[in-house]
Amino acid sequence: MDKPGAPPEAGVEDSEGPQRKKAKTENGQGSKQKTEVTEGIQNEKGESAESGANATGKDEKVEGDGSTEGNSAAASKEPFENMKIWDSSFLDSIPRSACLKCGQKRKFFCYDCFLPFGDLKKVPNLTLPMEVHIVHFPTELKSKSTAVHAKILAPNSVSFHKYPSVPKFNAEDTVLLYPKNAQSLHDMDASVFTKLKNVIFIDSQWHKGNKVLSHENLVNLPRVQIHQYKTAFWRYQQEGDHCLATIEAIYYFFVEYQKRAGADYDGRFDNLLFYYSHMFRLIQGVYKRDPSREFNRKKNYIQYD
């Protein structure tokens, strides 16, 4: 990037990409929709599998997507309603299917092979203006990690690294998202901002974050933080509602990236929340249909009519 300005177009590509062409198939239709929660949602008990590094660091609250401030589940019955997210309702008719690559049965996508299921023309395929590197701590279940969504939805822009196998990065064109000892993109000098090529996100529990940060290839990298947003995440997080799911952190980073580049946010990254918003609605629906079921993971999380 030679000068400040709007980032390269990061909308949905027409092509399916090499990974998706390899996996293209017809999945069975018309199966009964299960009321059980999928692998990516179930077992909400305990500390989130999402990263402590995704806590937002600045006290200022901003309208990250141009809709409700903070974009919290509590602030709106549908926190994604003003976003430009593709219709994901077709996912409800996809049965648990065997991944064409590993053969394991999965729902919606294979979190090990990063392959989507169903009609691939209905699944967004984004290109991001920077390379995203996700450092995943191995004790965390990928079935619970929302970082997987980014790899599936932007396969050519996202790389997954299993800690401690972390590559070396150039500190002049790389930043690491972390809320401590960090500056915002807004405060970053233009000469530094225009050189950025890589952004790193840590995908781990809070108590593992410092261990990941101490890796020799990460410890000296410049850090950035995003503004404070309230999460729509369904799992309890003892650090508070400002601690984001990894996919939320990735989304808000790129929202702020576009604004820092001098352009109004136009919704081009909203589809990063394609699976996340679908899972949010799935949880809401399961508990709304059966009021006798109590969602006790987070107070007032289910938005009854």
Side-chain angles (χ1 to χ4, degrees):
M1 193 179 299
D2 297 324
K3 60 183 179 179
E9 182 60 36
V12 178
E13 294 184 337
D14 292 330
S15 60
E16 294 172 358
Q19 294 189 38
R20 300 184 179 212
K21 289 179 180 178
K22 187 175 181 179
K24 192 169 185 179
T25 183
E26 290 286 321
N27 283 291
Q29 301 293 324
S31 65
K32 294 182 179 180
Q33 181 178 351
K34 294 183 179 181
T35 56
E36 67 181 23
V37 189
T38 66
E39 292 126 322
I41 303 174
Q42 63 186 353
N43 300 325
E44 309 104 323
K45 293 181 180 179
E47 187 181 15
S48 162
E50 300 300 316
S51 174
N54 296 331
T56 51
K58 301 198 76 174
D59 291 334
E60 179 185 357
K61 294 181 180 180
V62 299
E63 296 183 358
D65 62 351
S67 56
T68 57
E69 183 176 278
N71 195 31
S72 71
S76 170
K77 289 187 177 181
E78 174 49 270
F80 310 100
E81 62 185 352
N82 293 324
M83 296 187 184
K84 299 177 181 178
I85 300 176
W86 285 13
D87 179 15
S88 62
S89 59
F90 76 96
L91 294 173
D92 293 332
S93 64
I94 300 176
R96 286 177 61 87
S97 307
C99 173
L100 293 181
K101 186 173 181 179
C102 69
Q104 295 297 313
K105 283 196 172 182
R106 302 286 187 245
K107 182 74 172 177
F108 300 155
F109 52 77
C110 180
Y111 48 77
D112 287 317
C113 303
F114 306 113
L115 294 176
F117 291 172
D119 186 346
L120 302 187
K121 293 181 179 179
K122 296 181 179 180
V123 178
N125 187 353
L126 288 78
T127 298
L128 303 175
M130 292 175 61
E131 292 296 317
V132 172
H133 296 269
I134 297 169
V135 179
H136 179 79
F137 200 80
T139 59
E140 304 306 327
L141 296 177
K142 286 168 69 176
S143 61
K144 294 183 179 181
S145 172
T146 64
V148 171
H149 302 180
K151 176 60 178 173
I152 295 170
L153 295 168
N156 297 320
S157 298
V158 178
S159 297
F160 235 78
H161 307 289
K162 183 178 178 181
Y163 182 89
S165 298
V166 180
K168 290 184 178 180
F169 295 95
N170 183 348
E172 293 185 358
D173 62 15
T174 304
V175 290
L176 186 152
L177 185 76
Y178 198 75
K180 298 178 181 178
N181 301 318
Q183 66 175 158
S184 69
L185 289 175
H186 176 76
D187 296 331
M188 184 176 290
D189 186 88
S191 63
V192 177
F193 177 79
T194 56
K195 294 179 181 178
L196 294 182
K197 296 180 180 178
N198 305 288
V199 56
I200 301 169
F201 297 86
I202 297 175
D203 192 40
S204 73
Q205 291 179 325
W206 263 98
H207 65 281
K208 300 293 186 182
N210 286 332
K211 181 177 179 64
V212 178
L213 281 172
S214 65
H215 191 285
E216 61 180 354
N217 291 340
L218 300 176
V219 67
N220 293 319
L221 292 176
R223 299 177 184 178
V224 294
Q225 61 184 3
I226 54 179
H227 292 289
Q228 190 174 95
Y229 305 90
K230 287 186 178 180
T231 183
F233 205 25
W234 43 87
R235 298 194 189 103
Y236 171 74
Q237 171 56 268
Q238 64 183 8
E239 300 295 335
D241 280 347
H242 62 285
C243 297
L244 304 179
T246 305
I247 192 62
E248 290 177 308
I250 295 171
Y251 166 73
Y252 283 119
F253 173 86
F254 282 108
V255 170
E256 294 190 13
Y257 176 92
Q258 184 174 349
K259 291 179 177 180
R260 174 62 181 85
D264 292 333
Y265 183 63
D266 57 7
R268 68 179 65 184
F269 304 120
D270 289 1
N271 270 322
L272 283 169
L273 301 176
F274 177 77
Y275 288 115
Y276 188 75
S277 61
H278 185 84
M279 292 176 178
F280 171 86
R281 295 187 188 105
L282 179 59
I283 292 175
Q284 295 289 323
V286 165
Y287 285 88
K288 287 179 181 180
R289 286 192 297 271
D290 185 0
S292 65
R293 298 183 64 176
E294 182 179 358
F295 189 88
N296 55 15
R297 280 34 169 184
K298 295 183 74 172
K299 185 178 180 181
N300 298 324
Y301 185 77
I302 304 302
Q303 301 298 314
Y304 295 100
D305 295 332

